[in-house]
Amino acid sequence: MDLSEVHCRNHSALDLTVVGVLRAMVSDWRVAWRWHHPSTEGSETKLNESRKILSIDGGGIKGVFPAAFLADIEETLEHPLHSYFDLIAGTSTGGIIALGLGLGLRASEILEFYRKYGPQIFRGNRFILTLKQAFWRRYSHEKLRGALEETFGTKTLADAKSRLVIPAMNIDTGDVHIFKTQHHPKFERDYKVSAVEVALATASAPTYFPILQTTSEFPLVDGGLWANNPTGLAAVEAIGVLEWPRDKVSVLSIGCTEEPFDVGLLRRRNIGWLWATKTVDAFMKGQSSGSLGTAYTLFGHDRVLRINQTVSHGRFGMDSTKQITELAGLGKNRARNEAPRIKDIFFAATVEPFKPTV
């Protein structure tokens, strides 16, 4: 019964008082209900809706591993892979994969990108390239840019079908530079940037490629300098920017293979020059561990699933294209083993289509 329609037959003072109190109680109850059950109509996140994140590490040509993993998974899906994730983050080679998926490419097409263009991009005599790297950078942007233009054409981040987060770094200021789709009202610039430029920026690894001077005159280098594993970055984006409930978010984080970490006995004794060959490895291992730790802290260990393949020391190189077939085989085999564990979490249903903010 709606107490706003209660009438007092005799209109006594007591009756009117009681009705007034009851009306106030109903009003307070309605306010309390709205307070604890806010309307989600038109909001970015519905409280009863799960969110799924895909994160892909950097690793040069070793991006074949996550590309093959995802291609094998996608073969069993009814829809393109991007339609199963609310947010995709990727760094360096992982950024190229993230861009490709976000723009609607199938994972098998991205795997073919590595097969077709990898040997062209990373072409040259290994000994000469190593000497060259000591004083210059190994490669130019020419082959990589050509491959990206063939694959992405003139598309920009505005053409993305998924929310994207792609890190780079401004080498002049030391500031991080993160390319993002227009998934928040304050993101008013990046969606105009070409996918080719974003890919070149996030993949311009120092000593391998030159600094990218963007059309906006930013000197950018590989996002792997600070977020080679972008899982933590994606987690912060989900909580801090998109304001998704942390108990509704699941993360699939994929690496580009890893080697057992061991600095060796002499380095433990702080023999300085020996650290020259291990500093980068130690930095990358620490960054990845910290990134995953951020995601574990925000979402819990049970909501962050990490996929990576441990391989022997020196088995795969950042720019060694002779092992593309082996990397693809490892990725597909890992997908077959992991499919039963991840399908119900990430691929049971598609997500709500991404609609850029205006």
Side-chain angles (χ1 to χ4, degrees):
M1 178 176 62
D2 188 347
L3 289 175
S4 65
E5 298 178 356
V6 170
H7 298 282
C8 299
R9 182 175 303 171
N10 297 321
H11 301 287
S12 68
L14 179 61
D15 289 337
L16 292 173
T17 300
V18 171
V19 170
V21 171
L22 290 173
R23 284 175 176 167
M25 290 174 64
V26 170
S27 177
D28 289 344
W29 176 84
R30 286 170 176 164
V31 170
W33 174 263
R34 293 190 184 102
W35 178 263
H36 292 289
H37 301 80
S39 172
T40 58
E41 184 178 355
S43 65
E44 175 67 25
T45 305
K46 295 181 180 179
L47 296 181
N48 63 343
E49 189 176 88
S50 64
R51 296 290 181 174
K52 295 177 290 185
I53 297 173
L54 174 62
S55 173
I56 310 167
D57 287 15
I61 196 63
K62 294 187 290 182
V64 168
F65 174 79
F69 179 94
L70 294 171
D72 191 86
I73 293 292
E74 192 176 37
E75 285 182 5
T76 67
L77 303 178
E78 185 178 350
H79 304 281
L81 193 134
H82 74 83
S83 61
Y84 293 87
F85 292 95
D86 298 282
L87 173 66
I88 304 176
T91 302
S92 195
T93 195
I96 294 175
I97 297 173
L99 281 164
L101 294 175
L103 291 171
L105 295 179
R106 299 190 69 84
S108 58
E109 294 178 278
I110 300 171
L111 178 58
E112 183 58 27
F113 170 90
Y114 285 99
R115 293 187 190 275
K116 180 178 180 180
Y117 296 111
Q120 299 176 29
I121 296 167
F122 298 116
R123 185 178 180 180
N125 180 278
R126 313 312 300 171
F127 177 73
I128 294 175
L129 287 172
T130 301
L131 289 178
K132 183 180 179 182
Q133 191 175 24
F135 304 98
W136 195 233
R137 33 71 176 170
R138 285 195 175 201
Y139 309 100
S140 72
H141 277 145
E142 181 183 0
K143 296 295 183 181
L144 177 57
R145 181 185 292 274
L148 292 168
E149 288 175 346
E150 285 287 327
T151 305
F152 296 152
T154 59
K155 291 182 178 179
T156 68
L157 289 186
D159 296 303
K161 302 175 184 297
S162 302
R163 299 170 188 83
L164 296 175
V165 172
I166 313 291
M169 180 176 176
N170 188 314
I171 202 65
D172 270 355
T173 65
D175 293 333
V176 301
H177 190 107
I178 309 173
F179 292 98
K180 301 180 183 182
T181 47
Q182 199 177 15
H183 52 258
H184 191 281
K186 69 181 180 180
F187 301 155
E188 301 176 339
R189 298 174 182 268
D190 291 349
Y191 73 93
K192 304 173 185 177
V193 181
S194 75
V196 170
E197 184 168 290
V198 175
L200 285 171
T202 191
S204 290
T207 76
Y208 284 90
F209 292 103
I211 297 168
L212 178 72
Q213 198 75 29
T214 69
T215 53
S216 299
E217 301 182 341
F218 296 130
L220 301 182
V221 294
D222 197 320
L225 288 179
W226 67 278
N228 195 62
N229 178 340
T231 308
L233 174 64
V236 171
E237 189 77 8
I239 299 297
V241 176
L242 295 167
E243 298 182 345
W244 292 344
R246 64 184 64 195
D247 62 340
K248 299 295 183 181
V249 179
S250 298
V251 183
L252 178 60
S253 172
I254 309 177
C256 291
T257 75
E258 62 182 351
E259 299 178 357
F261 183 72
D262 181 16
V263 299
L265 179 61
L266 292 179
R267 292 186 186 88
R268 291 174 184 271
R269 294 177 178 174
N270 291 320
I271 298 180
W273 64 269
L274 287 174
W275 272 101
T277 59
K278 272 293 180 181
T279 300
V280 173
D281 290 343
F283 168 78
M284 290 293 188
K285 185 67 175 179
Q287 187 279 322
S288 182
S289 178
S291 181
L292 289 170
T294 298
Y296 290 143
T297 300
L298 290 174
F299 301 132
H301 282 70
D302 58 330
R303 289 192 165 273
V304 180
L305 198 154
R306 176 68 170 172
I307 304 291
N308 211 354
Q309 184 74 35
T310 302
V311 298
S312 58
H313 285 287
R315 182 175 178 185
F316 302 113
M318 293 275 288
D319 59 344
S320 179
T321 59
K322 292 182 178 180
Q323 292 85 24
I324 286 178
T325 300
E326 292 179 59
L327 283 164
L330 283 176
K332 291 183 176 182
N333 183 69
R334 189 62 183 268
R336 291 175 182 271
N337 293 335
E338 296 288 352
R341 183 164 67 121
I342 67 177
K343 272 204 163 182
D344 287 344
I345 302 173
F346 297 100
F347 304 108
T350 58
V351 300
E352 183 180 348
F354 167 50
K355 296 179 181 179
T357 58
V358 179

